[in-house]
């Protein structure tokens, strides 16, 4: 394959994103074929070929899965990607396809707020669940005898980072599989498989697709047997992406590098501005040189993400701040081209202070967004 081929690991991120997953050109055919809406396909005689029934495979998924695989593991042909209806469908597929009654799994204690729900279901199936914080590689202490280590780095919403390569090496030495939730970093921020993970799992709802208009998840893995179990789980539960969502996701990936670079740079500008505010505490962004996670993040991440977290003194102050913002929507989720922020404590699932804010920086002009945030802080002061 040439250096400019779609799967090459030598082209730039922008070139790769623009061309990821595209089929070979055919005269008079579109560059990116439209979505295939089909529950069944013509199938005379014996069952051969890739497409038979819409719950198993779809040509639109195939192109998207190829695109994501080229981003997560450029230049490699030994990985497989499967897309799902949502990030939680992808997460569930790995956990419930790889674990059995009597197994032990290590989860982050500071991860995504749905993980406590997952823990309850795993324990109901007779699986031992251990938890430890992301920071300081604390999960190392819980690995003994575990079947699977689940890493979330950077963690959501606290933005802690762990040394993925170190944890993966320790887990593999004990015979455990390693999955990394790569949602916040995106494949342009870090590549977990290159750091030793067996699975890279993410919600494509967030920055990968970037427009807040679809739900999607995916799993990329390098072990054929493990991925066959993930595929089987998807078939059993039917947690499949609709073809329109898959097509929209593929279309959106073309602008991923443009969006990520703009949003990440602006997030750092916002974080730098917040450092000067005395009412702000607990400011976190892995790109800040003095952030507790920066040293590790700089070794394993190529971009630091579009999320900034910080704490205002009280719940009331945080709510006034959010109400005063003009360019930032009060909404959950992150990674979209329009900036959002929310008081995470309103959900009740994250161990954060009442005034804790998770802000997702969009693609607005940096100076406009920084000015809006600073003005809202001024106006929300008592």
């Amino acid at each position: 394959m040439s250096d400019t081929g779609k799967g090459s690991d030598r082209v730039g991120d922008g070139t790769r994103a623009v061309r990821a997953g595209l089929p070979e050109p055919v005269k008079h055919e579109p560059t990116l074929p439209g979505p295939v809406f089909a529950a069944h396909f013509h199938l005379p005689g014996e069952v051969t070929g890739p497409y038979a029934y819409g719950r198993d495979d779809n040509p639109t998924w195939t192109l998207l899965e190829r695109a994501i695989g080229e981003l997560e593991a450029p230049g490699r042909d030994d990985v497989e990607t499967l897309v799902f209806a949502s990030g939680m469908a992808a997460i569930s597929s790995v956990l419930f396809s790889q674990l059995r009654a009597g197994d032990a799994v290590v989860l982050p204690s500071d991860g995504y707020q749905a993980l406590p729900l997952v823990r309850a279901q795993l324990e109901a199936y007779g699986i031992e669940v251990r938890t430890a914080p992301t920071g300081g590689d604390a999960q190392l202490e819980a690995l003994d005898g575990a079947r699977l280590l689940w890493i979330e780095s950077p963690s959501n919403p606290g933005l802690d980072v762990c040394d993925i390569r170190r944890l993966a090496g320790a887990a593999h030495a004990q015979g455990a599989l390693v999955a990394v939730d790569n949602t916040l970093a995106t494949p342009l921020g870090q590549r977990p498989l290159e750091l030793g993970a067996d699975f890279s799992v993410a919600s494509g709802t967030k920055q990968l697709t970037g427009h807040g208009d679809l739900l999607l998840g995916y799993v990329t893995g390098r072990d054929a047997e493990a991925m066959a179990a993930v595929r089987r789980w998807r078939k059993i539960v039917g947690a499949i992406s609709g073809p329109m969502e898959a097509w929209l996701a593929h279309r959106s990936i073309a602008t991923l590098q443009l969006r990520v670079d703009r949003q990440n740079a602006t997030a750092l500008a916002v974080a730098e501005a917040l450092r000067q505010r005395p009412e702000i505490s607990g400011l976190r962004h892995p790109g800040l040189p003095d952030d507790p996670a920066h040293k590790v993040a700089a070794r394993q991440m190529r971009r630091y993400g579009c999320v900034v977290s910080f704490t205002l003194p009280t719940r009331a102050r945080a709510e006034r701040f959010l109400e005063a913002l003009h360019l930032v929507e009060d909404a959950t989720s992150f990674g979209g081209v329009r900036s959002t922020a929310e008081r995470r404590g309103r959900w009740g699932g994250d161990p954060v202070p009442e005034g804790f804010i998770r802000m997702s920086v969009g693609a607005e002009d940096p100076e406009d967004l920084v000015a809006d945030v600073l003005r809202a802080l001024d106006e929300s002061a008592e």
Side-chain angles (χ1 to χ4, degrees):
M1 182 174 292
S2 70
D3 289 352
T4 55
K6 294 192 289 294
S8 174
D9 59 352
R10 299 182 183 180
V11 301
D13 287 337
T15 301
R16 185 177 297 111
V18 166
R19 303 201 60 80
L22 297 182
E24 292 299 322
V26 177
K27 189 174 182 178
H28 305 309
E29 293 294 326
T31 304
L32 176 61
V36 175
F37 299 100
H40 60 267
F41 301 81
H42 288 295
L43 197 67
E46 295 299 320
V47 178
T48 58
Y51 306 112
Y53 185 60
R55 191 180 72 250
D56 298 335
D57 277 299
N58 176 287
T60 310
W61 303 351
T62 299
L63 296 180
L64 174 60
E65 289 168 346
R66 185 186 306 165
I68 294 172
E70 289 171 8
L71 296 177
E72 284 279 356
R76 291 183 56 172
D77 296 324
D78 60 340
V79 300
E80 180 179 4
T81 297
L82 297 169
V83 295
F84 289 81
S86 68
M88 280 308 301
I91 289 170
S92 299
S93 75
V94 173
L95 291 170
F96 291 104
S97 70
Q98 305 302 315
L99 297 170
R100 304 288 184 271
D103 286 343
V105 60
V106 181
L107 301 179
S109 59
D110 54 346
Y112 181 50
Q113 65 161 336
L115 288 182
L117 299 175
V118 173
R119 174 177 186 165
Q121 193 62 56
L122 289 168
E123 290 176 338
Y125 289 157
I127 296 164
E128 179 189 354
V129 179
R130 307 169 188 166
T131 62
T134 298
D137 299 342
Q139 289 177 301
L140 284 171
E141 301 302 318
L143 278 178
D144 187 31
R147 166 65 179 162
L148 175 67
L149 168 63
W150 189 274
I151 294 171
E152 189 176 301
S153 181
S155 61
N156 173 28
L159 304 183
D160 257 326
V161 168
C162 62
D163 186 331
I164 295 174
R165 192 181 298 278
R166 180 187 182 201
L167 266 68
H172 289 154
Q174 299 192 38
L177 294 167
V178 179
V180 175
D181 187 329
N182 204 35
T183 302
L184 201 145
T186 82
L188 269 58
Q190 68 186 6
R191 298 176 186 149
L193 300 188
E194 292 182 358
L195 297 170
D198 300 288
F199 304 99
S200 181
V201 187
S203 167
T205 307
K206 312 297 193 298
Q207 196 169 23
L208 184 80
T209 56
H211 294 83
D213 54 6
L214 60 88
L215 295 174
L216 189 85
Y218 71 85
V219 179
T220 299
R222 58 180 182 166
D223 182 272
E225 184 177 351
M227 287 302 293
V230 174
R231 178 182 288 274
R232 186 166 57 250
W233 181 262
R234 184 178 71 173
K235 178 182 177 72
I236 291 169
V237 301
I240 59 172
S241 171
M244 190 66 192
E245 286 80 0
W247 185 85
L248 285 169
H250 197 167
R251 183 195 65 170
S252 298
I253 284 175
T255 61
L256 179 61
Q257 183 261 343
L258 298 172
R259 291 184 282 107
V260 164
D261 281 353
R262 174 61 171 263
Q263 291 172 255
N264 287 13
T266 306
L268 186 58
V270 170
E272 292 281 5
L274 291 172
R275 292 173 71 182
Q276 313 305 318
R277 301 293 299 212
E279 69 269 54
I280 296 293
S281 64
L283 175 65
R284 298 299 304 270
H285 184 269
L288 289 171
D290 58 351
D291 187 274
H294 181 73
K295 184 177 180 180
V296 175
R299 290 201 304 265
Q300 67 188 20
M301 299 183 73
R302 296 178 299 130
R303 295 171 174 86
Y304 297 114
C306 65
V307 178
V308 179
S309 66
F310 56 94
T311 300
L312 288 167
T314 64
R315 170 177 175 171
R317 176 70 188 277
E319 290 173 344
R320 291 196 304 271
F321 166 71
L322 292 170
E323 187 175 356
L325 290 165
H326 293 163
L327 300 179
V328 184
E329 300 170 358
D330 192 340
T332 195
S333 197
F334 57 85
V337 292
R338 289 175 292 277
S339 292
T340 62
E342 69 170 337
R343 192 182 65 81
R344 286 298 290 177
R346 65 180 176 175
W347 296 99
D350 294 308
V352 296
E354 285 292 320
F356 181 94
I357 301 290
R358 183 185 71 184
M359 181 176 179
S360 170
V361 174
E364 298 88 358
D365 288 314
E367 56 273 19
D368 293 339
L369 190 60
V370 168
D372 189 49
V373 168
L374 296 180
R375 179 197 50 76
L377 285 172
D378 289 339
E379 291 184 6
S380 63
E382 292 181 345

